[in-house]
Amino acid sequence: MVRWLKTYGMFVAMIVVSFSGWSQRHLWTEVQVKPSYVYIGQPVEVTVSVFTSTWFTQGVHVQNIQVNDAFTVYFRSLSTSKVIKGKTYAGVQFFYNVFPYSDEDIVFPALEIEVETPDAGDYKGVKRKVRTTPRKIRIKPIPPGIQSEDWLVTHQMTVRDYWSGDLKNVKVGDVIERSIYREAAGTVSELIPPIVWDSLDGVSLYPDRMSAQNHKSKTAISAERTDRMRYLFEKEGEVVFPEMEVMWWNPRYKKIYKRTLKEVVVYVNPNPDLGMLESIKDSLNIAQAQAREDEIADKEFSFWGLTIKEWSVLILALIVGGYVLKKWIWPLIMWARGKYLKYRVSERYYFNQFLVRKWSGNSDHWKTALYRWIDELEVIEPSVKYLIETYGNPDKSIETYGIQDWLRLRKRYLRRNQKSTHSNWMNPTG
């Protein structure tokens, strides 16, 4: 019995392998991961490809991608081809960047791809589904001596800070805001770490709302983040804002880069009206609590990576775009379509078709087009001979009649038959 089961199992396996081999020759997938051993936040370029020995009769569709413990950014798709042993295979490639945010290894999952392609030797497209192979991406530990809260991977960083208010004329009770702006190439805003603010003697700190944004093109991505802090000066005297160091890891040169924001010294003058200090504190506390609630609300109610505000702008743009499309663009399209359809059954259309074929030089084609045009004319005798003798140059034969001769002939015909030559469509009659 056991021997029979083994034999049966081998038989089934041979059948499966044989079908699998045919499928791979006709339609197969590839997943390229570069590099496959990265630091946290370092982008991994992933290219998903599907190839066929025939062709694709419809667009290729890839399921939505969710990589655990990583941010995934889709860039674009690209038609391509591959030559193997002298045979050309048609293909479509999809390009992604994966940004791991955990110190655990991650897996780019198997994907289901829907295609429509004919069998070899056939022409009719058949809908099929193929799956890719999952690919593991290993995560390197952060180099020693660097704190995880300061870690950022980018090949280019811009850092600037801004102060609101006059730092040379500060008195007790004044509030000044500092903004630190960072722009990083080749990363997403979620991976730019928050600024760590130093506590200061005689100064209360009230964090303001952070703002961040991603910028994506067809081939690259960059991110920006602005952190803000409001300072309430409660004591007179000198306040020193120490220099601030911003660092990042450059994967191209495999080294740490640093940017230092210079030390700032502020002299706080006395203020005789100290009764308003508590009122200012209450206002700042309320504003800080509101900023936190807004950030939490944005995170809780984000959908597909967009906040409520971003969705509101998108929906409003769609509504306005739909109204414009219905009110102006669609009627214009229908008017143009009507004009084009009317042109397609006009005498002018068939004459232009004849000129195109006449220009190509194939006598069989242009003669057929010539007689089709003549069918649209109101003449006593629908023949080339009658047309040339009546409206053209009878000293020439049909073979020696050039394009300019035919243009002049049609012009005389229209003039004698009082046909208007005015049209919005281009016509080589001049």
Side-chain angles (χ1 to χ4, degrees):
M1 182 68 179
V2 174
R3 185 177 180 181
W4 181 85
L5 287 174
K6 287 183 178 180
T7 305
Y8 179 77
M10 291 177 64
F11 176 74
V12 172
M14 290 175 63
I15 294 177
V16 171
V17 170
S18 64
F19 275 101
S20 176
W22 176 87
S23 175
Q24 288 177 356
R25 287 194 299 270
H26 170 66
L27 186 69
W28 80 95
T29 62
E30 295 178 357
V31 178
Q32 297 176 337
V33 175
K34 180 184 178 182
S36 59
Y37 189 31
V38 296
Y39 290 104
I40 295 174
Q42 183 176 349
V44 180
E45 298 177 5
V46 180
T47 305
V48 178
S49 308
V50 56
F51 291 95
T52 176
S53 60
T54 54
W55 61 88
F56 297 105
T57 53
Q58 283 192 4
V60 177
H61 303 283
V62 180
Q63 72 177 91
N64 292 330
I65 296 177
Q66 178 63 50
V67 181
N68 293 331
D69 296 328
F71 299 107
T72 305
V73 178
Y74 168 73
F75 284 111
R76 72 194 191 283
S77 63
L78 179 68
S79 297
T80 185
S81 63
K82 176 179 287 190
V83 179
I84 302 176
K85 295 181 179 179
K87 182 175 177 59
T88 302
Y89 296 83
V92 178
Q93 294 181 315
F94 299 86
F95 300 90
Y96 303 87
N97 269 11
V98 176
F99 300 88
Y101 56 77
S102 171
D103 56 2
E104 299 290 334
D105 293 346
I106 63 174
V107 175
F108 189 85
L111 302 177
E112 186 175 84
I113 304 177
E114 296 181 358
V115 301
E116 185 175 295
T117 178
D119 293 330
D122 199 358
Y123 67 92
K124 186 177 180 180
V126 179
K127 290 185 178 180
R128 314 172 195 270
K129 291 183 179 180
V130 291
R131 290 183 67 83
T132 64
T133 303
R135 296 293 301 271
K136 185 177 181 179
I137 300 171
R138 298 172 58 203
I139 307 300
K140 300 179 183 180
I142 295 176
I146 303 176
Q147 301 296 323
S148 59
E149 58 266 21
D150 297 327
W151 179 255
L152 174 64
V153 178
T154 177
H155 59 266
Q156 184 177 354
M157 168 78 88
T158 299
V159 184
R160 293 191 295 267
D161 66 337
Y162 306 92
W163 296 82
S164 68
D166 185 1
L167 294 178
K168 295 181 179 181
N169 295 287
V170 178
K171 62 181 182 296
V172 174
D174 284 350
V175 177
I176 289 182
E177 182 175 273
R178 184 183 191 181
S179 302
I180 298 180
Y181 168 85
R182 288 168 292 168
E183 182 179 11
T187 189
V188 292
S189 61
E190 292 84 352
L191 292 174
I192 301 178
I195 293 292
V196 179
W197 304 92
D198 293 312
S199 59
L200 301 168
D201 185 36
V203 181
S204 294
L205 279 63
Y206 297 88
D208 200 357
R209 189 175 183 182
M210 175 273 299
S211 61
Q213 193 173 4
N214 292 320
H215 304 282
K216 183 173 73 74
S217 66
K218 290 184 178 180
T219 57
I221 189 169
S222 64
E224 61 181 49
R225 174 180 174 131
T226 302
D227 293 87
R228 301 177 179 88
M229 180 63 72
R230 286 174 293 193
Y231 297 100
L232 172 61
F233 296 93
E234 299 182 7
K235 295 180 180 180
E236 61 182 274
E238 182 183 89
V239 176
V240 179
F241 293 86
E243 65 180 26
M244 188 175 293
E245 195 173 66
V246 178
M247 65 177 60
W248 64 92
W249 173 265
N250 189 317
R252 291 182 179 176
Y253 300 105
K254 297 180 174 58
K255 60 184 295 187
I256 285 289
Y257 284 78
K258 297 180 181 180
R259 169 72 189 279
T260 301
L261 298 176
K262 295 181 179 181
E263 173 185 280
V264 176
V265 179
V266 176
Y267 295 93
V268 183
N269 298 309
N271 187 351
D273 185 13
L274 295 179
M276 37 71 75
L277 194 58
E278 292 300 321
S279 176
I280 295 175
K281 285 185 177 181
D282 292 340
S283 299
L284 290 173
N285 284 324
I286 293 173
Q288 183 178 359
Q290 184 62 49
R292 288 175 180 171
E293 290 179 4
D294 290 342
E295 288 187 5
I296 293 173
D298 283 347
K299 291 180 180 179
E300 289 181 348
F301 294 99
S302 64
F303 185 62
W304 285 358
L306 298 179
T307 63
I308 294 177
K309 181 179 179 181
E310 291 169 336
W311 272 112
S312 300
V313 174
L314 178 60
I315 292 172
L316 179 62
L318 291 175
I319 292 174
V320 174
Y323 176 79
V324 172
L325 176 65
K326 182 179 179 181
K327 188 72 175 179
W328 289 291
I329 298 179
W330 184 249
L332 181 61
I333 292 174
M334 296 306 295
W335 173 82
R337 182 174 181 272
K339 295 285 289 183
Y340 178 69
L341 292 176
K342 185 176 179 181
Y343 164 72
R344 283 294 300 267
V345 295
S346 68
E347 170 270 335
R348 173 170 291 178
Y349 170 78
Y350 291 107
F351 180 74
N352 287 342
Q353 291 294 304
F354 158 62
L355 291 184
V356 171
R357 285 163 174 76
K358 177 69 174 175
W359 183 268
S360 68
N362 190 314
S363 60
D364 292 335
H365 289 176
W366 69 256
K367 285 182 179 179
T368 301
L370 172 60
Y371 285 108
R372 180 62 185 86
W373 169 59
I374 294 175
D375 289 341
E376 296 295 319
L377 304 181
E378 296 179 6
V379 291
I380 298 175
E381 180 183 332
S383 67
V384 177
K385 180 180 178 182
Y386 173 82
L387 205 63
I388 292 177
E389 291 178 349
T390 307
Y391 304 103
N393 184 357
D395 295 331
K396 288 187 175 182
S397 65
I398 183 175
E399 300 295 341
T400 59
Y401 242 62
I403 289 180
Q404 293 299 323
D405 295 318
W406 286 111
L407 291 172
R408 284 191 290 266
L409 183 149
R410 178 177 181 270
K411 196 170 184 179
R412 293 192 190 102
Y413 163 80
L414 294 175
R415 189 183 299 125
R416 293 187 189 182
N417 287 270
Q418 297 181 347
K419 295 273 183 84
S420 173
T421 60
H422 176 71
S423 172
N424 290 330
W425 293 94
M426 292 182 63
N427 182 42
T429 53

